[in-house]
Structure formats: structure tokens, C-alpha cells
């Protein structure tokens, strides 16, 4: 299993939520975790694109990465 790093702000918010039971910071935690998950997904797609064994798989992964990134078709090469 891999390790994942989070920002100090998110860590402190998680500590406040779970240890001090400050439930009002839940939206902040949710937003931070969603941002981190998006970053993990983008990194996984990029890695898949760069390490794909065949040209077809590489192109498919590249398109998937650019679609997720929001790059318009007219801007791609």
C-alpha cells in the first residue's frame, strides 16, 4: 500500500473534527479530501499514459487524461 501526503491544514482540520468533535468544519474536510482524490486520479492517469506497454493503450490513456483535465479537442495535437 502506498502512502499519501496531505496538507498540514487538512490534517489539522481532521484532528479538530475527530478529536475535538468540531463538526462545523466537515465541509472544509470534504473539499480537501475531494481535491486530494482528484490529484491522485490525475497522477494515476498520467502514469498510465507514460508507462503503457503498447501505442494503442498509451493513446487511450492520453485521451482519458486530457479529457479528465478538461483540455478541448481543438487544443490537442
Amino acid at each position: 500500500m502506498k502512502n499519501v501526503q496531505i496538507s498540514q491544514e487538512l490534517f489539522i482540520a481532521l484532528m479538530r473534527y475527530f478529536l475535538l468533535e468540531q463538526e462545523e468544519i466537515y465541509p472544509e474536510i470534504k473539499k480537501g479530501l475531494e481535491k486530494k482524490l482528484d490529484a491522485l486520479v490525475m497522477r494515476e492517469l498520467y502514469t498510465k499514459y507514460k508507462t503503457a506497454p503498447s501505442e494503442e493503450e498509451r493513446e487511450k490513456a492520453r485521451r482519458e487524461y486530457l479529457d479528465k483535465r478538461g483540455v478541448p479537442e481543438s487544443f490537442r495535437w
Side-chain angles (χ1 to χ4, degrees):
M1 179 171 257
K2 295 182 180 182
N3 293 328
V4 176
Q5 293 183 354
I6 60 172
S7 68
Q8 182 177 354
E9 293 82 18
L10 180 56
F11 178 75
I12 290 171
L14 286 165
M15 296 294 290
R16 286 174 49 202
Y17 182 80
F18 285 105
L19 296 180
L20 302 176
E21 298 178 0
Q22 295 178 348
E23 294 182 7
E24 65 275 3
I25 60 172
Y26 175 75
E28 177 186 338
I29 292 171
K30 184 177 177 183
K31 182 180 173 188
L33 290 175
E34 286 173 348
K35 183 178 175 184
K36 186 62 182 182
L37 180 60
D38 287 343
L40 288 170
V41 168
M42 291 305 296
R43 183 65 187 172
E44 182 66 31
L45 288 173
Y46 182 77
T47 301
K48 193 164 104 178
Y49 155 57
K50 286 297 194 178
T51 61
S54 70
E55 188 63 37
E56 297 85 30
E57 291 176 27
R58 193 174 304 123
E59 181 61 24
K60 181 182 177 207
R62 184 182 78 85
R63 274 198 225 109
E64 188 177 357
Y65 173 77
L66 293 174
D67 288 342
K68 183 80 172 167
R69 224 354 161 209
V71 177
E73 287 285 335
S74 61
F75 195 68
R76 301 177 190 182
W77 65 93

